[in-house]
Amino acid sequence: MTVKEILSKVCDPEIPVLTIDDLGIIRDIIEQDDQVEVVITPTYSGCPAMNMIEVNIKAALQEHGYQKIKVTTILSPAWTTDWLTESGKQKLKAYGIAPPIGSVEKADLLGEQNIECPQCNSTNTEMLSQFGSTACKSLFRCKDCLEPFDYFKCH
Amino acid sequence: MTKLKYILQLADTALILGHRLSEWTGHGPILEQDMALTNIALDLVGQARSLYQHAAEVEGKGRTEDDLAYLRTTTDFLNPLIVEIPNGNFGDTIARQFFFDVYNHTFYTELQKSKDATLSAIAEKSLKEVKYHLRYSSDWMRRLGDGTEESHQKIQTAVDSIWMYTGELTTMNEVEKEMLSEGIGVNLESIKPIWTEKVKAVLAEATLTMPESTWMQSGGKDGKHTEHLGFILAEMQHLQRTHPGATW
Ligand SMILES: [Zn+2]
């Protein structure tokens, strides 16, 4: 397996249906002789999952025989939900979290609009709080099926 | 080293406000606001970590981000006074946050142009988070100001009492002047009118009265603090000081 294939099986510790590949946080993979350097970028500055992700990346590579592993964090360009993969968005929805809709620029301009309820697909929804259970989510409620749900916000 | 001091000033500011907000954990007026304030705290502590890591690298003497946060004393801390004043009631916390967020948003927008590539990257990253903070605190200013008679009166009292701490945010000390001249720091003189305009606009929408200009408190950025900082550090640092080098 290539390094990329190994990393594509490492999951986010807080949203375990997403791999770090789905999240778009792997910025580079540099293989030189017997050393691998994985360059990642944090989703949010204070995201407590980042330390765990680093540990998991090292463990996954070690399992496949890599010995010299370096995980480097870069901040620029800043991570954006525009880097989430299509399959990542579908997995989020199946997991009960509404995926980010549209581009970050549009959300900045018009606010979060027409967020679809992951349970009944209604867009008749309202935001309860822009801050949710983790930094990457807002709390919404469906006005049709009345279920509260998490929205993975455009960032 | 002036640059080290400048970075520490920014790091201390984010850490101390983050710590203050984290005191709301489990004490928010309702669950959603408890989560909102602690989310903002988490962002700020995360930003502080990036800044302390950079400071440690710039200093190059082997001190780590943890040493810088846990093993410096009150006079070593370089945050402006506004971030160390107590939380008070929810309105006091919101007013302090709002004044700070307007400043922080404008500040990070400018810091993106810094000649220091790491500071510029931290600014770009943090700005995306500060945008939410500003939206949150501005919304609550309007909601409390234009709310009930009681909420209006409480938030106006908060605005009036915190006002004297706002001047320090946009007044440059020697460190900031030198960093500006080297193209690393931000020109606070140019931020001041933007800050005033933005604050004025939200206070007007909130039906609140903007305080008259008054004598402003200062000194925090040069290590002269209120008595409150000592208590914050005592709580935050006691574990490392009692059990040096303790880790999880
Ligand atoms: Zn629904």
Side-chain angles (χ1 to χ4, degrees), chain B residues 22-29 34-35 38:
Chain B
S22 76
E23 292 170 7
W24 276 102
T25 313
H27 299 278
D34 196 296
M35 276 161 58
T38 46

Side-chain angles (χ1 to χ4, degrees), chain A residues 1-10 20 26 28-31 34-39 53-71:
Chain A
M1 269 206 278
T2 65
V3 172
K4 192 168 171 18
E5 282 165 345
I6 298 168
L7 293 182
S8 72
K9 297 209 162 45
V10 175
I20 56 174
I26 303 171
D28 208 355
I29 297 167
I30 304 154
E31 288 182 78
D34 59 343
Q35 186 181 311
V36 192
E37 182 180 0
V38 181
V39 182
I53 287 172
E54 191 176 325
V55 170
N56 291 346
I57 287 175
K58 286 182 179 160
L61 288 170
Q62 270 161 2
E63 220 173 274
H64 288 83
Y66 289 88
Q67 303 287 327
K68 291 186 191 162
I69 307 155
K70 196 173 148 197
V71 179

Side-chain angles (χ1 to χ4, degrees), chain A residues 117 119-120 142 145:
Chain A
C117 167
Q119 307 298 336
C120 74
C142 177
C145 77

Side-chain angles (χ1 to χ4, degrees), chain B residues 15-227:
Chain B
L15 180 68
I16 298 301
L17 186 57
H19 186 84
R20 267 291 183 231
L21 289 174
S22 76
E23 292 170 7
W24 276 102
T25 313
H27 299 278
I30 54 168
L31 184 63
E32 282 77 9
Q33 301 322 315
D34 196 296
M35 276 161 58
L37 291 172
T38 46
N39 258 288
I40 296 172
L42 188 63
D43 285 342
L44 289 168
V45 173
Q47 291 161 12
R49 282 195 63 187
S50 299
L51 289 160
Y52 282 127
Q53 284 164 9
H54 185 38
E57 222 172 80
V58 165
E59 187 186 46
K61 287 186 182 162
R63 283 206 285 183
T64 65
E65 52 174 318
D66 283 342
D67 296 334
L68 294 172
Y70 293 131
L71 300 176
R72 287 158 58 239
T73 61
T74 37
T75 46
D76 299 328
F77 269 73
L78 303 171
N79 56 278
L81 302 177
I82 191 168
V83 298
E84 69 196 46
I85 56 175
N87 285 335
N89 63 35
F90 181 69
D92 295 321
T93 292
I94 290 295
R96 180 187 65 197
Q97 194 62 34
F98 168 66
F99 290 143
F100 180 78
D101 289 341
V102 174
Y103 154 79
N104 212 23
H105 187 268
T106 320
F107 178 82
Y108 276 135
T109 305
E110 290 301 311
L111 191 67
Q112 291 183 107
K113 300 176 206 149
S114 174
K115 275 188 189 160
D116 181 299
T118 307
L119 277 184
S120 160
I122 293 171
E124 179 195 349
K125 177 89 195 152
S126 306
L127 189 60
K128 296 182 71 164
E129 294 153 3
V130 171
K131 209 166 59 183
Y132 296 119
H133 306 173
L134 178 59
R135 199 189 300 161
Y136 172 81
S137 57
S138 303
D139 280 352
W140 271 105
M141 288 301 288
R142 297 187 193 97
R143 211 162 147 185
L144 295 172
D146 197 15
T148 64
E149 209 172 297
E150 189 186 355
S151 72
H152 177 90
Q153 176 259 316
K154 280 191 172 171
I155 193 73
Q156 183 68 59
T157 305
V159 164
D160 294 343
S161 64
I162 295 167
W163 190 252
M164 65 177 171
Y165 295 104
T166 58
E168 190 182 7
L169 289 173
T170 52
T171 306
M172 285 199 272
N173 66 4
E174 291 310 313
V175 169
E176 289 164 322
K177 282 178 194 159
E178 196 180 323
M179 285 299 99
L180 172 63
S181 72
E182 288 181 24
I184 293 170
V186 169
N187 186 355
L188 299 183
E189 298 290 337
S190 68
I191 280 189
K192 202 180 183 114
I194 303 172
W195 184 88
T196 307
E197 273 318 298
K198 285 186 179 169
V199 166
K200 204 177 187 176
V202 173
L203 290 186
E205 283 168 20
T207 70
L208 293 167
T209 309
M210 184 130 162
E212 298 287 318
S213 56
T214 172
W215 182 78
M216 291 287 179
Q217 296 276 2
S218 66
K221 294 196 284 194
D222 296 314
K224 293 184 212 105
H225 293 279
T226 65
E227 65 183 289

